[in-house]
Structure formats: C-alpha cells, structure tokens
C-alpha cells in the first residue's frame, strides 16, 4: 500500500498556520535544497487581497488510492465556489 506523509503541525486557523510557517521557515541543517525566503512574513499575507488566482484541482488521489465520493463532491463544490469568486479554476491530472 502506498503512503503519503507530511510532517508539520495541525492548526485551527489560517492565521495559526501562517504563524507556524513564519516560525519554522528556512533551511533544515544539511538540507540539499533550500527555497528562498518569502518577501514578507506569512502573517502579513493574510490581510492582503489575493486578486484573481489561477487554481488547479484534482479529485484523484495522488497515491492512486480510492477517493470517497463525498470527498470528490466537496472538492468539486469548493472549485465551483472559488470560480464564483472570480478565480480561474481548472481540473488537472496529478500525473
């Protein structure tokens, strides 16, 4: 069975997630790859109007496992909602 794992934190709000990204962003000791630092703290990004975004989504599992139909429905409804807000939304394959 394929597994996908991401180690970080569980938060209750986007603001909490931004605060944790600010606290933990930066290279790990010995990391072979490093992303550049953000232009400004993530907490400052929360209050910024994102404008019109280009958003891709998929209803397929990234590891090939079945996806419950209620989850698929929730993703499609969210995509429609984002499109109603003026964003460009399209379904894309993960492969």
């Amino acid at each position: 069975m394929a597994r996908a794992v991401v180690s970080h934190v569980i938060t209750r709000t986007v603001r909490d997630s931004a605060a944790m990204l600010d606290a933990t962003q930066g290279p790990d000791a010995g990391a072979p790859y490093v992303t550049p630092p953000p232009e400004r703290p993530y907490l400052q990004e929360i209050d910024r109007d994102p404008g019109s975004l280009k958003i891709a989504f998929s209803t397929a599992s990234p590891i090939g496992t079945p996806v419950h139909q209620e989850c698929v429905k929730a993703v499609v409804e969210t995509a429609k909602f984002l499109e109603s807000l003026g964003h460009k939304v399209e379904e894309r394959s993960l492969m």
Side-chain angles (χ1 to χ4, degrees):
M1 176 180 184
R3 294 188 168 96
V5 177
V6 174
S7 298
H8 203 252
V9 298
I10 296 174
T11 61
R12 293 179 184 244
T13 67
V14 171
R15 187 170 302 284
D16 289 349
S17 294
M20 285 306 300
L21 286 170
D22 284 335
T24 61
Q25 90 74 38
D28 293 334
Y33 306 102
V34 178
T35 59
E39 291 179 23
R40 61 191 144 274
Y42 291 102
L43 273 171
Q44 289 179 9
E45 294 293 333
I46 291 174
D47 297 321
R48 193 176 134 217
D49 181 352
S52 180
L53 301 174
K54 183 176 179 182
I55 301 169
F57 74 94
S58 174
T59 57
S61 165
I63 57 174
T65 55
V67 178
H68 193 281
Q69 284 305 304
E70 286 298 315
C71 296
V72 170
K73 181 181 172 186
V75 169
V76 170
E77 288 176 0
T78 300
K80 288 178 183 176
F81 174 69
L82 291 168
E83 197 167 43
S84 77
L85 295 176
H87 302 297
K88 182 177 184 329
V89 180
E90 60 184 59
E91 188 164 11
R92 298 299 288 281
S93 170
L94 297 171
M95 302 302 163

